[in-house]
Amino acid sequence: MVTGGVRRSSFLLGPLLAVALAGSGCTTLQSTQLPPDELRDGIRSGSLIKTGDEISVVTTDGREYLLDVRGLDREAIRGLSGGEEAVVAIDDVVALRTHQTESVRTTYAVLGGIGAGGIGGFFLLLVILCA
């Protein structure tokens, strides 16, 4: 009975690891290389950011805000920063970075996790059978 439970858990290890890796994904920050006026116009038009994006903005006073964008209008970006509501005036933004999910890196990470889980499960199975 005990070995059956261990055997079942070893077969679940790979898929569980794959789900965990797929959920986390691989992200990078993509800097927007535009002059401040063009950057602000792109934010206002909605071509650079939209509701739901994770962004980092730097303002004219040198402060950096990490935001989960919750709203956007002609005057301000509204979002959550560290769990608290934050409003950043678009006219104050001088730099923008957006979080981009890299599907190729995420796919390789998931496949690597499945492979590692499969190899680990195989060796665990060998230990159980040889014991």
Side-chain angles (χ1 to χ4, degrees):
M1 258 321 172
V2 172
T3 58
V6 171
R7 198 173 293 154
R8 253 184 255 122
S9 67
S10 67
F11 289 121
L12 292 175
L13 181 64
L16 288 175
L17 185 58
V19 168
L21 287 171
S24 65
C26 297
T27 60
T28 59
L29 284 174
Q30 182 71 34
S31 293
T32 304
Q33 303 294 325
L34 293 172
D37 288 336
E38 289 181 40
L39 176 64
R40 294 171 188 140
D41 289 342
I43 292 171
R44 284 189 175 97
S45 72
S47 64
L48 294 179
I49 62 174
K50 62 187 179 310
T51 301
D53 285 351
E54 293 179 39
I55 64 169
S56 170
V57 293
V58 177
T59 57
T60 53
D61 62 1
R63 295 181 66 189
E64 181 174 5
Y65 296 87
L66 299 173
L67 294 171
D68 289 323
V69 178
R70 299 289 185 236
L72 180 66
D73 60 37
R74 303 264 323 141
E75 302 301 320
I77 304 166
R78 290 170 174 67
L80 293 176
S81 179
E84 295 184 19
E85 292 287 328
V87 178
V88 177
I90 293 173
D91 286 334
D92 291 341
V93 175
V94 293
L96 169 71
R97 290 184 294 177
T98 56
H99 289 258
Q100 303 287 324
T101 301
E102 294 186 11
S103 58
V104 173
R105 287 178 55 192
T106 301
T107 300
Y108 283 125
V110 168
L111 292 175
I114 291 171
I119 291 169
F122 175 75
F123 283 113
L124 183 59
L125 182 62
L126 285 177
V127 169
I128 292 169
L129 293 175
C130 293

